Amino acid sequence: MLTIGYLAKKTGTKVQTIRYYEQIGLMPEPGRTDGGQRRYGNAELDRLSFIRHARQLGFSLDAIRELLDLSDHPARSCEEADAIARRQLKQVEQRMARLEVLRLELERMIEECSGGRAADCRVLEVLRDHSECLTDHEGIGT
Amino acid sequence: MLTIGYLAKKTGTKVQTIRYYEQIGLMPEPGRTDGGQRRYGNAELDRLSFIRHARQLGFSLDAIRELLDLSDHPARSCEEADAIARRQLKQVEQRMARLEVLRLELERMIEECSGGRAADCRVLEVLRDHSECLTDHEGIGT
DNA sequence: TTAGCTCCTCTAGTCACTGTAGGTTCAAGG
DNA sequence: CCTTGAACCTACAGTGACTAGAGGAGCTAA
């Protein structure tokens, strides 16, 4: 019989977060001691590991709910899980591409910083100057 | 005299978001028409562009507050702005490194998906199997 | 004048937690 | 058996950065 604190330590989760997962129905309501403290089994530890691992991979709690549902009904097709993972991969790639643009612009900003007064600071200038902006909102909604 | 909707369109911001920025003191309280509608000048448009650009670069509203403060007092050193930008760059690089790890794992998951029943699905298996987990919580807190 | 678009305030909701207050239970040592 | 103190409990509020909706008022052009 495992305590909530043990699960927390094993999975790198905060105790409150586990209770939160229970509250939103992602974790089952566990058994309790006479005093009312939660006691878990290994199945719950595995489930929490699954959730945390998926969270680290950037899956939303909703996506995780889907995945857990799939793994609770193993007769269903793998395609759904695959589709969820592919969606996730796409999102990760988009985020990375976006971050790369940001990284380059930040590097440029820092490189050009003259070290003088804020009035001449390239960092502020770049942020102020709309013409150097990578995105263009002029055409939106027209 | 510019309406809030015009600012919104020009900067790719939602109208509510501009009012939110005003509420938290990031945008100034603008003048109003007799009927109580907000009317802005070009200075406010510039300020909002600055905010949005910085947001796109991943700066937090707090960091932007600092940057705006710097640019409002141009006699102060550029070093502070530089430091903020450097902090930001570091964070972006960390996020990218993390995403790269996730991307590889997601690719592996998808590649190994057999297309069969969920019971045999590698996607679910990888998420379930703690031994393949990249992070290790065993040693935490000991 | 009237249509209809934009604007107003206020409140509540989103996501995924995190923190705090104030109290209770449990396990180990004496 | 008693005490200590860590770990547990509930309940609620707060975070960041918006976003959505209700219900109404203002503005502009035909």
Side-chain angles (χ1 to χ4, degrees):
Chain A
M1 291 294 101
L2 315 171
T3 66
I4 196 170
Y6 181 84
L7 258 73
K9 200 180 278 183
K10 273 283 175 190
T11 60
T13 316
K14 301 234 160 164
V15 166
Q16 293 105 303
T17 305
I18 299 174
R19 291 198 280 248
Y20 167 72
Y21 287 161
E22 181 183 327
Q23 199 185 304
I24 62 169
L26 215 56
M27 287 290 287
E29 287 185 31
R32 302 269 187 152
T33 63
D34 290 349
Q37 298 194 355
R38 289 167 179 81
R39 286 301 121 96
Y40 296 92
N42 281 312
E44 281 76 40
L45 178 55
D46 286 351
R47 192 180 177 93
L48 182 56
S49 298
F50 183 103
I51 293 170
R52 293 309 288 180
H53 196 168
R55 281 296 294 142
Q56 278 163 18
L57 287 171
F59 290 91
S60 71
L61 292 184
D62 260 6
I64 292 170
R65 220 186 285 272
E66 282 185 80
L67 289 168
L68 281 168
D69 202 52
L70 280 177
S71 90
D72 286 346
H73 303 91
R76 286 162 61 188
S77 166
C78 167
E79 274 165 48
E80 288 177 66
D82 185 64
I84 294 168
R86 275 177 203 279
R87 267 207 312 274
Q88 198 54 33
L89 177 62
K90 211 171 187 175
Q91 270 179 32
V92 168
E93 280 169 349
Q94 278 170 0
R95 267 183 261 167
M96 285 190 73
R98 219 170 131 51
L99 282 174
E100 176 60 16
V101 172
L102 305 189
R103 196 181 63 75
L104 289 172
E105 193 161 359
L106 282 168
E107 266 183 357
R108 189 166 55 76
M109 279 166 66
I110 291 165
E111 231 165 75
E112 292 180 3
C113 177
S114 63
R117 298 182 313 126
D120 314 315
C121 182
R122 285 289 299 166
V123 172
L124 294 173
E125 203 177 310
V126 167
L127 287 170
R128 199 160 19 231
D129 193 343
H130 197 63
S131 67
E132 300 194 38
C133 188
L134 292 154
T135 55
D136 179 13
H137 306 292
E138 304 297 324
I140 287 176
T142 54
Chain B
M1 291 294 99
L2 315 171
T3 66
I4 196 169
Y6 180 84
L7 257 73
K9 199 181 278 183
K10 271 284 174 188
T11 60
T13 316
K14 302 232 160 163
V15 165
Q16 293 104 303
T17 305
I18 299 174
R19 291 198 279 249
Y20 167 72
Y21 287 161
E22 181 184 327
Q23 198 186 305
I24 62 170
L26 215 57
M27 287 290 286
E29 287 184 31
R32 303 268 186 153
T33 63
D34 289 350
Q37 298 196 353
R38 290 169 180 81
R39 286 301 123 95
Y40 295 92
N42 280 313
E44 280 76 42
L45 179 54
D46 286 352
R47 193 181 177 92
L48 182 57
S49 297
F50 183 103
I51 294 169
R52 294 308 288 178
H53 196 169
R55 281 296 296 141
Q56 277 163 17
L57 286 171
F59 289 90
S60 70
L61 292 186
D62 261 7
I64 292 170
R65 219 187 285 274
E66 282 186 80
L67 289 169
L68 282 168
D69 203 50
L70 279 177
S71 90
D72 286 346
H73 303 90
R76 286 162 60 187
S77 168
C78 168
E79 274 164 50
E80 288 176 67
D82 186 63
I84 296 167
R86 275 177 203 280
R87 268 207 311 274
Q88 197 51 35
L89 177 61
K90 210 169 186 177
Q91 271 179 32
V92 168
E93 280 170 348
Q94 278 170 0
R95 267 183 262 167
M96 285 189 75
R98 218 169 132 53
L99 281 174
E100 177 59 16
V101 172
L102 305 188
R103 196 181 63 75
L104 288 172
E105 193 160 357
L106 281 167
E107 268 184 356
R108 188 167 56 76
M109 279 166 65
I110 290 165
E111 233 164 75
E112 291 180 4
C113 178
S114 65
R117 297 183 313 127
D120 314 315
C121 181
R122 285 289 299 166
V123 173
L124 294 172
E125 202 177 310
V126 167
L127 287 171
R128 199 162 18 232
D129 193 343
H130 197 63
S131 68
E132 299 195 38
C133 187
L134 291 154
T135 54
D136 179 13
H137 307 292
E138 304 296 325
I140 286 176
T142 53

